[in-house]
Amino acid sequence: MAGEATSVGFEYVFPAIRGVQAGREYFVSMCPLRLIPRIFLFDEDEIAPEVRAQRVLNKGRLPALARYILDNPDDYVFSALTASIDGDVTFESIGDQGAGMRAGQIRVPMAARFLINDGQHRRAAIELALKDNPDLGDETIAVVFFHDAGLARSQQMFADLNRHAVRPSRSIGVLYDHRDDLAGLTRLLALKSPVFKQHVEMASSTLSARSSKLFTLSALHSANQSLLQGLKLKKKAAEEVAQVFWERIDTLVPEWQMVRNRAMTAADVRRDYIHSHGIALHALGRIGNTLLRESVDPQKWAPRLDPLSKVDWARSNPAWEGRAIIGGKVSKSHTQVTLTVNYLRHALGLPLSPEEQRAEDAYQRGEA
């Protein structure tokens, strides 16, 4: 619908479409971004949880959300806010029958309170972004308005709106992210590299016991992140380095090749070995990063990886317990990744960083 929220006299006027849900009226409108911080309230942190209608604002998320808007002014996307209006709401339709009865405008007194039920972080990020770029104020965001029915109803709305919200898997995030060069590099490897082609689960970040895939896209992405961290490489050079690195690792892990040759199943390899799990890929990436920081010339770093061919990657290897495996299960915690890296550094004759040494000392004392 054309138009935007305006203030007339002592009331706000929003173009709106009227709907009914669970027997209650609600309205869908467009609101200019400049109005969002001014009229939409948020329960501040000092209010006790039992009398709030929202969760506490996680201010650590705001800079990244605001930067997302500012860095992508031509193609950012924010979903609708949901708000309750504590005050009188008058709907004026543009017609007396058919679709005209559902379209029109709502009038809300300026004394009314607009309380956000869903989207408080988007609201705060918009406020932050407007300080850097006031021109964004003329853009709009969809808002779903409900008439306030008291605190209990607002709290229930928040619970209901978030009850079935499922965060997409990290693999899906990598698969669909076309802004991040590293995500693009990871997709390229997964789809084109002979090491990974047809053996990477692209959508889920977990693999079922019977999956025919060896790796997840999210695990490969994390490994590439570790591999290329701090290396100032152009996009094409980074792609080439990553491809050569993983092809070199592939020559040192015979079970990966056996899966491709159908001499072993992916399920058997995942069950009996840890080298296709996220923790191992991450650790290998960190090892590679150490070597690449010294030289990106494969003739210099590739031979130094040779001792990996003698590493016993089997789950039954007692050396993994407490490092990569806790209580019989592969663990991806930060400490476990570090201890796995330490094991591989020892195999390659590489020194530990101070942080890695502290983790190793704690492990040797039985504190890890």
Side-chain angles (χ1 to χ4, degrees):
M1 177 177 297
E4 63 175 38
T6 59
S7 56
V8 178
F10 296 97
E11 62 184 10
Y12 290 106
V13 179
F14 296 88
I17 297 174
R18 174 184 176 274
V20 176
Q21 220 175 70
R24 293 185 177 90
E25 280 187 327
Y26 73 96
F27 308 94
V28 180
S29 183
M30 299 294 160
C31 186
L33 297 188
R34 65 174 178 272
L35 275 184
I36 298 298
R38 288 163 47 191
I39 68 174
F40 290 95
L41 304 178
F42 176 72
D43 290 338
E44 296 300 335
D45 297 2
E46 62 267 16
I47 301 176
E50 62 272 15
V51 293
R52 281 203 305 261
Q54 306 123 312
R55 59 188 155 197
V56 173
L57 197 68
N58 181 354
K59 295 180 180 178
R61 291 179 56 191
L62 302 185
L65 278 172
R67 182 51 52 191
Y68 162 69
I69 303 173
L70 294 168
D71 289 350
N72 302 284
D74 297 326
D75 61 355
Y76 75 91
V77 179
F78 264 6
S79 57
L81 305 176
T82 303
S84 294
I85 303 174
D86 181 6
D88 294 333
V89 179
T90 303
F91 177 68
E92 299 174 348
S93 64
I94 60 174
D96 297 327
Q97 58 185 358
M101 296 179 63
R102 295 191 294 273
Q105 60 186 20
I106 56 173
R107 295 179 175 271
V108 183
M110 284 192 173
R113 297 171 72 247
F114 295 83
L115 184 66
I116 291 202
N117 302 107
D118 183 60
Q120 63 267 38
H121 289 90
R122 274 164 278 154
R123 172 221 172 274
I126 288 169
E127 181 176 12
L128 203 58
L130 286 171
K131 292 178 181 177
D132 273 18
N133 185 2
D135 291 342
L136 290 169
D138 292 328
E139 300 199 354
T140 58
I141 188 170
V143 182
V144 181
F145 289 112
F146 289 86
H147 191 236
D148 183 73
L151 177 66
R153 174 62 181 163
S154 291
Q155 290 177 332
Q156 187 62 56
M157 283 174 62
F158 176 84
D160 290 347
L161 286 165
N162 288 277
R163 184 190 309 270
H164 302 296
V166 178
R167 184 179 178 87
S169 71
R170 289 190 64 243
S171 287
I172 281 286
V174 175
L175 182 62
Y176 291 170
D177 190 346
H178 295 276
R179 290 194 178 96
D180 180 25
D181 285 344
L182 186 64
L185 178 153
T186 301
R187 287 194 303 273
L188 184 67
L189 283 177
L191 295 172
K192 303 292 185 182
S193 168
V195 179
F196 300 110
K197 186 178 180 181
Q198 298 183 341
H199 293 285
V200 176
E201 169 54 53
M202 305 295 281
S204 176
S205 293
T206 57
L207 293 172
S208 67
R210 296 183 179 181
S211 174
S212 62
K213 308 298 185 184
L214 261 180
F215 318 97
T216 65
L217 191 65
S218 59
L220 181 57
H221 183 260
S222 294
N224 286 328
Q225 208 166 28
S226 295
L227 177 68
L228 299 171
Q229 186 174 14
L231 300 178
K232 300 188 182 303
L233 298 173
K234 292 185 177 179
K235 181 178 177 181
K236 191 65 178 176
E239 291 173 355
E240 291 175 356
V241 165
Q243 180 165 335
V244 172
F245 176 79
W246 292 114
E247 287 179 357
R248 177 59 179 157
I249 294 296
D250 181 64
T251 66
L252 304 170
V253 184
E255 289 79 18
W256 292 3
Q257 302 165 53
M258 293 173 73
V259 170
R260 294 199 300 276
N261 295 332
R262 300 188 179 181
M264 290 186 73
T265 67
D268 288 343
V269 170
R270 292 197 316 275
R271 183 193 64 218
D272 297 335
Y273 299 89
I274 70 164
H275 46 44
S276 65
H277 288 258
I279 186 172
L281 295 180
H282 192 155
L284 287 167
R286 277 175 56 175
I287 293 294
N289 182 260
T290 297
L291 301 180
L292 290 170
R293 282 175 182 270
E294 296 179 15
S295 173
V296 295
D297 182 356
Q299 292 187 343
K300 294 183 178 179
W301 60 256
R304 298 178 65 184
L305 291 171
D306 286 349
L308 288 177
S309 64
K310 301 204 183 324
V311 169
D312 182 0
W313 293 98
R315 279 179 183 251
S316 57
N317 178 4
W320 297 125
E321 184 60 43
R323 290 186 186 272
I325 297 175
I326 300 293
K329 293 185 178 180
V330 176
S331 171
K332 294 185 289 187
S333 73
H334 175 75
T335 297
Q336 266 46 69
V337 171
T338 299
L339 292 173
T340 301
V341 169
N342 291 357
Y343 184 85
L344 298 181
R345 288 200 191 285
H346 177 74
L348 296 177
L350 297 174
L352 306 185
S353 70
E355 179 191 353
E356 291 166 347
Q357 189 61 60
R358 286 192 293 272
E360 188 66 24
D361 291 343
Y363 171 76
Q364 297 297 340
R365 293 194 301 268
E367 298 174 5

